């Protein structure tokens, strides 16, 4: 991947032409990041891929955002992998029917490990491996989402594959079942 990365990465561009991070590192976090996050103070920032202006994917930036906290009915998930889809490119370009307030993170489907839950949340608990859905915002180290949008991951399923199941699988199933 080194030559591929160097051929397509210029200046401070966050991604190459294949959508891979120019750092050569995947967008998902490592287990050590999760351990560090568990000991982080609520005021510590997390890394996020941000769209600060509508336009091409080259304009996305890696930036610090505030540490999320679980609100009522929510869980904080350490994101291990994000599914980025065609509609994410439309969101970033400002050409989707929904236009998130700037700045925002793309990424609707994700997989990770629950770090914390709000009082009264019983569907998931810290340490659970989950896949989930947010309208956007999952391209970051951690995200706070409604616990109702989280699904336990089967033991043999890895984070990368799980992150592509909810939107991609549902869209494909719909196309084959209702449109084919």
């Amino acid at each position: 991947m080194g030559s591929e990365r160097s051929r397509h990465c210029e200046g401070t561009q966050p991604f190459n032409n294949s959508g891979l991070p120019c750092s050569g590192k995947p967008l998902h976090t490592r287990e050590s990041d999760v351990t560090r996050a568990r000991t982080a103070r609520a005021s510590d920032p997390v890394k996020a891929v941000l769209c600060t202006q509508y336009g091409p994917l080259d304009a996305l930036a890696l930036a610090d955002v505030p540490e999320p906290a679980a609100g009522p009915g929510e869980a904080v998930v350490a994101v291990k992998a994000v599914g980025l889809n065609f509609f994410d490119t439309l969101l970033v370009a400002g050409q989707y029917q929904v236009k998130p307030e700037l700045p925002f993170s793309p990424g609707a489907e994700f997989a990770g490990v629950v770090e914390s839950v709000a009082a009264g949340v019983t569907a998931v608990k810290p340490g659970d491996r989950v896949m989930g859905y947010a309208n956007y915002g999952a391209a970051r180290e951690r995200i706070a989402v409604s616990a109702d949008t989280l699904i336990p991951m089967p033991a043999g399923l890895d984070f990368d594959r799980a992150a592509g199941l909810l939107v991609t699988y549902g869209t494909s199933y719909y196309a084959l079942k209702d449109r084919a």
Side-chain angles (χ1 to χ4, degrees), residues 48-63:
V49 175
L50 289 182
C51 176
T52 58
Q53 62 184 7
Y54 294 118
L57 294 177
D58 292 350
L60 293 173
L62 187 63

Side-chain angles (χ1 to χ4, degrees), residues 6-178:
S6 61
R7 255 199 338 249
H8 299 289
C9 293
E10 300 173 11
T12 59
Q13 178 180 337
F15 302 96
N16 68 18
N17 294 339
S18 301
L20 298 171
C22 287
S23 67
K25 296 178 183 176
L27 285 177
H28 48 82
T29 59
R30 298 176 312 275
E31 202 61 39
S32 61
D33 294 331
V34 175
T35 304
R36 178 183 48 79
R38 288 188 181 130
T39 60
R41 295 185 327 268
S43 62
D44 286 348
V46 299
K47 296 289 184 198
V49 175
L50 289 182
C51 176
T52 58
Q53 62 184 7
Y54 294 118
L57 294 177
D58 292 350
L60 293 173
L62 187 63
D64 289 337
V65 295
E67 174 79 29
E74 291 183 332
V76 173
V77 177
V79 176
K80 301 292 227 163
V82 175
L84 296 173
N85 299 289
F86 177 68
F87 72 87
D88 290 302
T89 65
L90 295 175
L91 273 173
V92 169
Q95 297 174 348
Y96 197 62
Q97 59 260 31
V98 174
K99 291 186 177 52
E101 183 179 326
L102 297 171
F104 71 92
S105 292
E109 55 188 343
F110 62 93
V113 177
V114 175
E115 286 196 338
S116 63
V117 299
V121 171
T122 58
V124 294
K125 65 185 180 315
D128 285 353
R129 293 169 15 103
V130 295
M131 50 188 162
Y133 176 80
N135 290 325
Y136 51 86
R140 55 186 57 217
E141 290 179 307
R142 289 182 285 292
I143 185 171
V145 295
S146 172
D148 294 339
T149 65
L150 299 174
I151 300 169
M153 285 175 50
L157 185 60
D158 65 51
F159 291 111
D160 292 338
R161 287 186 176 90
L165 281 178
L166 298 178
V167 173
T168 307
Y169 175 81
T171 301
S172 300
Y173 181 80
Y174 173 77
L176 291 170
K177 190 79 170 156
D178 295 339

